Amino acid sequence: MSKSRSANTKRSIVPKAQTEGNSSKRLMSLAGFALLGMLMLVVWASTSKSQPQPALELGGTSLLGYSIVQTYPHDPNAFTQGLEYDTICNSTSCQDIFWESTGLYGKSTVREVDALTGSVLRQQALPAADFGEGITKFGSRLFQLTWLSGKTYFYDVNNFNNFTMQTDPLSDGWGATTDGRHLIVSDGSATLTFLDPDTLSKVKSIVVSDNGSTVPMLNELEYINEEIWANVWMTECIAKIDPRTGGVRGWVVFTGLRDRLVASSPPQQLPIDVLNGIAWDSVGERLFITGKCWRELYEVKTEVTKLQMSATEHLEVQKMCRVAL
């Protein structure tokens, strides 16, 4: 990402202070739409029980479609930068929650959110000078990145007021997840960095590529079934990445999901922005998706159908997902 862009307009699809990018029409090229229509990749998800969309095999790299399983409320004023599913239990019951990081200067928070109702159970605001980014839980602590400041915040999951701040090796913090041994973070490039969770020192890094072409703008991250899932900023694409090599094993394309939400939503204080929230329930094997200032959060199901694609078709998918060709 160009460092010459205003900090307040960094990452908004609406040209307005503290929102990201341009209109959703820039998320895909017309060629990408034509390709997907020709291959019957995407069927509009018109109901929460929509049929799985077809998927294609790209010479070993799969392309997955999706269907909506369930729809949940989400705070439309939450500029979601990171999302993680968890279950909190006491002596009598358990509750499904999300740990969520929100961004924007002066509005950034770390939150515990009721997964069923979308209600914010508790939150802690960041200093006004910090722009919240990715979040992940490691042990009994939450790790929250910040944009451009080189800071990582550590929170006690039981008490957000009990937090510390530490300098990290990132000049630009974007997404965060964990493989159970390391913190895995993105910085808006094609590189994913593995950090020691105690010292934040760099352990290793991998460069993400699809058939030899790098995949920049890696943003929100989630670790799912021994793969790193990474949203590509300003697209509806999520790359499924081999954590050892950085090779892209597959693409999940959420075409129409944001457009569906925009079409059904009333005007709101902050405009509906890009997809940017991935959460995984490893016990129930449930995948959740949302975005910046989305009033809905979705449980979705992905499905692969093994079809052959030509080199030309693969190239169009790479263009749509902003692979650096």
Side-chain angles (χ1 to χ4, degrees), residues 93-106:
S93 64
C94 293
Q95 182 177 18
D96 293 342
I97 62 102
F98 293 110
W99 305 113
E100 184 170 12
S101 171
T102 69
L104 301 179
Y105 289 116

Side-chain angles (χ1 to χ4, degrees), residues 160-235:
F160 288 167
N161 292 321
N162 183 12
F163 70 90
T164 58
M165 185 276 293
Q166 186 172 332
T167 301
D168 61 48
L170 302 175
S171 60
D172 196 356
W174 283 40
T177 189
T178 178
D179 60 2
R181 300 178 302 279
H182 314 94
L183 301 180
I184 305 171
V185 296
S186 63
D187 61 4
S189 70
T191 299
L192 296 178
T193 303
F194 293 66
L195 303 178
D196 183 293
D198 293 319
T199 65
L200 294 187
S201 60
K202 179 179 174 180
V203 176
K204 66 175 182 177
S205 63
I206 56 174
V207 176
V208 177
S209 64
D210 178 20
N211 281 12
S213 298
T214 57
V215 184
M217 296 294 186
L218 299 175
N219 198 5
E220 159 75 332
L221 305 177
E222 186 65 78
Y223 200 81
I224 302 175
N225 293 335
E226 302 301 318
E227 293 178 330
I228 303 168
W229 287 36
N231 165 241
V232 179
W233 179 54
M234 291 294 289
T235 79

Side-chain angles (χ1 to χ4, degrees), residues 45 70 143 169 259 290 325:
Q70 188 60 267
F143 294 77
D259 289 344
T290 192
L325 302 175

Side-chain angles (χ1 to χ4, degrees), residues 14-199:
V14 178
K16 181 178 178 182
Q18 293 198 350
T19 54
E20 290 188 322
N22 297 309
S23 104
S24 60
K25 294 180 181 178
R26 297 185 184 178
L27 293 177
M28 295 187 178
S29 65
L30 292 176
F33 276 119
L35 168 68
L36 295 181
M38 176 183 68
L39 298 173
M40 299 180 64
L41 237 184
V42 174
V43 176
W44 186 289
S46 59
T47 70
S48 63
K49 302 295 183 181
S50 57
Q51 293 299 312
Q53 300 174 35
L56 300 165
E57 180 116 341
L58 310 179
T61 303
S62 61
L63 184 59
L64 286 75
Y66 74 96
S67 60
I68 298 174
V69 177
Q70 188 60 267
T71 301
Y72 299 96
H74 181 252
D75 180 3
N77 293 315
F79 196 77
T80 304
Q81 297 290 77
L83 191 72
E84 186 159 314
Y85 171 88
D86 202 357
T87 301
I88 303 298
C89 297
N90 56 33
S91 59
T92 59
S93 64
C94 293
Q95 182 177 18
D96 293 342
I97 62 102
F98 293 110
W99 305 113
E100 184 170 12
S101 171
T102 69
L104 301 179
Y105 289 116
K107 296 183 179 180
S108 294
T109 64
V110 58
R111 302 179 172 192
E112 179 184 347
V113 179
D114 186 299
L116 183 62
T117 67
S119 299
V120 178
L121 302 176
R122 57 193 172 105
Q123 68 177 9
Q124 173 72 36
L126 271 70
D130 289 331
F131 193 118
E133 286 283 348
I135 194 168
T136 193
K137 180 184 176 185
F138 192 98
S140 61
R141 295 188 295 174
L142 293 175
F143 294 77
Q144 183 183 30
L145 300 179
T146 57
W147 183 55
L148 293 179
S149 69
K151 301 175 184 176
T152 293
Y153 284 91
F154 301 74
Y155 301 90
D156 182 334
V157 294
N158 297 311
N159 182 4
F160 288 167
N161 292 321
N162 183 12
F163 70 90
T164 58
M165 185 276 293
Q166 186 172 332
T167 301
D168 61 48
L170 302 175
S171 60
D172 196 356
W174 283 40
T177 189
T178 178
D179 60 2
R181 300 178 302 279
H182 314 94
L183 301 180
I184 305 171
V185 296
S186 63
D187 61 4
S189 70
T191 299
L192 296 178
T193 303
F194 293 66
L195 303 178
D196 183 293
D198 293 319
T199 65

